[in-house]
Amino acid sequence: MGSLQIFSVLFFSLFLAKCCYSKEEYFVQCLSKYSEINITQNIYTPGSPIYSSILEYAQKNPRWLNSSHPNFIASPKEESEIRPVILCSKKTGLQIKIKSGGHDYEGISFRSESPFVMLDLGNLNKIKIDLKEETIWVQTGATLGQLYYAIAKKSKVHAFPAGVCFSVGTGGIISGGGLGALMRKFGLAADNVVDARVMDVNGKILDRKMNEDLFWAIRGGGGASFGVILAWKLKLVRVPEKVTVFTIRRELEGNLTLLRKWENIAHQLPEDLFVRAFVQKGVFSAGNDTKNHVGFYIQGQYIGPVDELIPLLNQYFPEFNLERKDCFKENITADAEKECFEVPWIRSVLYFSWRNPNDSLEVLLEKSIPTHKDYHKGTSDFVKTPIPESGWEMVEKLFREEERPQMVFEPFGGKMYEISESEIPFPHRKGNLYTIQYFVSWDDNSESISSQKIGWIRKLYKEMEPYVAKSPRSAYLNYRDFGLGTNEEDYSYSKAKIWGEKYFKGNFERLAKVKSKVDPKNFFRSEQSVTPYQLSY
C-alpha cells in the first residue's frame, strides 16, 4: 500500500472516529490514548453507581442540585491522571470545572451551561510536614480540617492561618485569599504560601521558579482561572500551647453602643486579639420571641492564655464583664450571655466551627453528606468608616422581615495593614476597618421561596450602599456573587473588568495579563473567571 493510501486510510479512520462516536465516547477513547495507566476507573458518568453521591457531596450549597450535571466526574487518585482529562476535554470541546471542597456560593465548581467535566480533587489530599523547615506541602483536595488535623498531630505549637470552616477545600479558599481568625497576627492563608504546583492548559506542571507571575496570580486571584492547582507549600506559624476563645451575646436593642464601639476599635486591638461580630435572629433570646428578636454576639480569639486576655478585655471592652472563672466553667448553655475556653489552638478550630471544643479531633476529618439541606445565598462588602446609628437601625428593621438572616463582621488591622494592596491579588488592606459577609438561608428550595430570599438579601445589599467602601464597591472573591456581574459570551476584558475590579481593584489588569500568557485561548473559564487581557475573546 502506497503512502498516499495509508494516509487516506488514517484520515478516514479519524473521520469515522469523530463522526460515529458521541462526544462522551470520544472523550473516553482519548483518555486511553494519553494515559499510561487505566484512569477510566476513576471517571464516572451519570450511569455510574457513585456518580450521584460524589455530586451531592460536592454541592455544599444545594441550590442547583438539579440545574445541570457534568457529563463526567473525574476523581483522580494521582496527579498524573489530570493531564489526560485536560487534554481530552480540550479535544472534545468539554469544559472543566474544578472542585476541591465545594463551598462555592454560586456553584461554579459543579455546574455549567455547556457540557463539562467536573474535576473532583478530593482524593488528592496528601500532606507532608517539615517541622525543621516549618513548612507543609498539602494537595489541594485536602480540606482545612485535614490540614489542621495533620498539623496538630505533629506539633502543639504550630498552626496555619486560614478559614474557620474546616470542611472548606484548601484549593479554593487559599486561591481566593483565605480570611480567618489568625489573619490579624499572620495575614491571609494566601499570604503564607511559599510555593505551589500548578498544571497548565497544556498539561505541564509549573512551580514558583518556572512562572513567578502565575504564582502571584493564584494566591488570591482564584486558581481555577489559570489551571489546576495541585498542591500548596505553606509556611507554618508558631502559636502558644494555649489560646483563649470566647463569645459574648447581647440583644441588639439597647446594646447598639457596644456594637458601634466594636466597629470603631476592633481593627486597633493588639494583633494577638481577633474579635469578630455577628448580627442575626435568636442570638440571645432572654425570653423574647426569636421570630422577631434580633441580637448580636461577639466572638474572639486571643493567641495566648486567659490570664493575659482578661486584662486586655478589661482595658478595651469592660462591658463584656468576662472574668477568669468564666473560662473554666462546665455545662454552659447555648444562649449563655458569655462563655470562654482556654484550649490548644486546634480546639479553637472546633470552637469557631460551632462545635464543642472538647469534641473528638476526628470531627475535622468528616466528609459525610449532610442530611439536612441548607440552601443559602451570600455576598460581601468592605467598610472604611463606622456605620452611623441610622444604618444599624435599617439593618435591624430589615432583619425583622426575614427568618434566618445573618451578617458577619471580621476586623482587619495588624498584619493585614502591613501588606501592600499589590503583594498578592487580594487588595483589601489598609484603610478597611472590617469586612461584612451577608448571608441568608432557607429550607424550601421552591422557586418562589428562593426568589423571595434572594430578593431580600439584594434589598439589604442595596440599602447598605451608603455605608460601605466605594469606587469601586468591593467584594471578597471567596464569597462569590454573580449579582456583581458575570462574563458574557465574548469573555471580553472590558466587560469582565466591571465585576473584576470589585474583587481585585487595580490588580485585575495584571491578573488578565497573566491569563493571556498561561491560557490565551481561555480554556479555563466560568461566569466569573479572569479573562485574557484583550478587548474581546
Side-chain angles (χ1 to χ4, degrees), residues 279-441:
V279 174
Q280 67 181 55
K281 286 277 190 75
V283 171
F284 181 57
S285 59
N288 293 313
D289 179 2
T290 57
K291 285 187 177 181
N292 290 311
H293 171 75
V294 180
F296 74 92
Y297 56 97
I298 291 175
Q299 186 181 61
Q301 175 179 265
Y302 177 70
I303 307 172
V306 64
D307 288 335
E308 293 179 7
L309 169 65
I310 297 300
L312 282 174
L313 292 185
N314 288 338
Q315 177 184 350
Y316 292 103
F317 287 108
E319 301 90 340
F320 290 175
N321 193 31
L322 196 67
E323 301 177 78
R324 186 183 190 279
K325 64 182 181 180
D326 296 322
C327 303
F328 300 98
K329 288 182 178 180
E330 296 182 3
N331 303 319
I332 300 173
T333 60
D335 63 348
E337 185 174 335
K338 56 184 177 178
E339 65 184 28
C340 177
F341 301 91
E342 185 184 74
V343 293
W345 166 75
I346 190 64
R347 296 201 172 276
S348 76
V349 171
L350 295 177
Y351 185 76
F352 272 86
S353 294
W354 317 114
R355 304 290 184 120
N356 187 313
N358 296 314
D359 282 351
S360 167
L361 293 183
E362 274 63 37
V363 168
L364 297 168
L365 306 179
E366 282 183 359
K367 296 191 76 173
S368 58
I369 298 172
T371 54
H372 174 73
K373 297 301 180 188
D374 181 45
Y375 309 97
H376 51 266
K377 170 67 179 173
T379 189
S380 60
D381 263 316
F382 290 86
V383 176
K384 293 180 179 292
T385 57
I387 298 171
E389 186 172 348
S390 59
W392 290 113
E393 289 172 352
M394 175 274 296
V395 168
E396 183 173 10
K397 178 178 178 294
L398 286 183
F399 267 49
R400 293 187 187 282
E401 298 176 2
E402 182 50 51
E403 186 178 357
R404 278 162 35 194
Q406 186 182 66
M407 291 170 72
V408 186
F409 310 87
E410 296 187 299
F412 281 17
K415 187 72 171 178
M416 293 296 290
Y417 283 179
E418 297 172 14
I419 300 171
S420 77
E421 288 191 358
S422 58
E423 180 70 21
I424 65 172
F426 181 96
H428 316 290
R429 303 288 184 170
K430 194 170 184 178
N432 291 289
L433 304 183
Y434 55 88
T435 180
I436 302 176
Q437 179 182 184
Y438 309 92
F439 200 80
V440 65
S441 59

Side-chain angles (χ1 to χ4, degrees), residues 115-388:
F116 73 106
V117 179
M118 188 181 88
L119 182 57
D120 173 19
L121 301 178
N123 292 324
L124 298 178
N125 56 17
K126 294 185 178 66
I127 297 171
K128 184 177 180 181
I129 299 176
D130 185 337
L131 286 183
K132 186 176 180 181
E133 191 184 52
E134 294 188 299
T135 59
I136 179 169
W137 271 105
V138 54
Q139 288 185 305
T140 52
T143 63
L144 286 183
Q146 291 172 313
L147 172 65
Y148 294 157
Y149 182 89
I151 294 170
K153 284 296 182 181
K154 286 281 188 178
S155 171
K156 295 180 179 179
V157 293
H158 287 91
F160 184 72
V164 298
C165 184
F166 58 74
S167 58
V168 171
T170 55
I173 188 170
I174 297 174
S175 67
L179 302 173
L182 294 175
M183 67 181 175
R184 300 190 69 250
K185 176 73 171 180
F186 301 109
L188 304 173
D191 293 326
N192 291 277
V193 177
V194 293
D195 204 347
R197 288 164 46 82
V198 186
M199 187 171 288
D200 71 7
V201 70
N202 299 311
K204 183 179 180 181
I205 296 178
L206 307 172
D207 60 16
R208 180 174 187 171
K209 289 181 180 179
M210 298 169 73
N211 196 318
E212 188 72 36
D213 285 338
L214 177 61
F215 178 71
W216 174 85
I218 61 174
R219 291 177 298 148
S225 291
F226 305 96
V228 180
I229 303 173
L230 304 174
W232 303 107
K233 186 179 183 181
L234 309 173
K235 178 177 64 179
L236 295 175
V237 300
R238 284 184 172 265
V239 293
E241 288 197 23
K242 295 288 186 180
V243 303
T244 310
V245 292
F246 61 90
T247 299
I248 306 296
R249 298 179 177 88
R250 296 285 189 274
E251 298 179 40
L252 190 57
E253 186 176 352
N255 289 287
L256 189 53
T257 300
L258 177 58
L259 186 56
R260 296 189 68 193
K261 179 179 179 180
W262 170 89
E263 68 170 333
N264 275 277
I265 69 171
H267 64 290
Q268 299 175 336
L269 297 173
E271 62 181 13
D272 287 327
L273 182 55
F274 171 82
V275 183
R276 64 176 182 167
F278 296 72
V279 174
Q280 67 181 55
K281 286 277 190 75
V283 171
F284 181 57
S285 59
N288 293 313
D289 179 2
T290 57
K291 285 187 177 181
N292 290 311
H293 171 75
V294 180
F296 74 92
Y297 56 97
I298 291 175
Q299 186 181 61
Q301 175 179 265
Y302 177 70
I303 307 172
V306 64
D307 288 335
E308 293 179 7
L309 169 65
I310 297 300
L312 282 174
L313 292 185
N314 288 338
Q315 177 184 350
Y316 292 103
F317 287 108
E319 301 90 340
F320 290 175
N321 193 31
L322 196 67
E323 301 177 78
R324 186 183 190 279
K325 64 182 181 180
D326 296 322
C327 303
F328 300 98
K329 288 182 178 180
E330 296 182 3
N331 303 319
I332 300 173
T333 60
D335 63 348
E337 185 174 335
K338 56 184 177 178
E339 65 184 28
C340 177
F341 301 91
E342 185 184 74
V343 293
W345 166 75
I346 190 64
R347 296 201 172 276
S348 76
V349 171
L350 295 177
Y351 185 76
F352 272 86
S353 294
W354 317 114
R355 304 290 184 120
N356 187 313
N358 296 314
D359 282 351
S360 167
L361 293 183
E362 274 63 37
V363 168
L364 297 168
L365 306 179
E366 282 183 359
K367 296 191 76 173
S368 58
I369 298 172
T371 54
H372 174 73
K373 297 301 180 188
D374 181 45
Y375 309 97
H376 51 266
K377 170 67 179 173
T379 189
S380 60
D381 263 316
F382 290 86
V383 176
K384 293 180 179 292
T385 57
I387 298 171

Side-chain angles (χ1 to χ4, degrees), residues 20 51 295 351 365 370 501:
C20 301
Y51 173 94
Y351 185 76
L365 306 179
E501 288 190 339

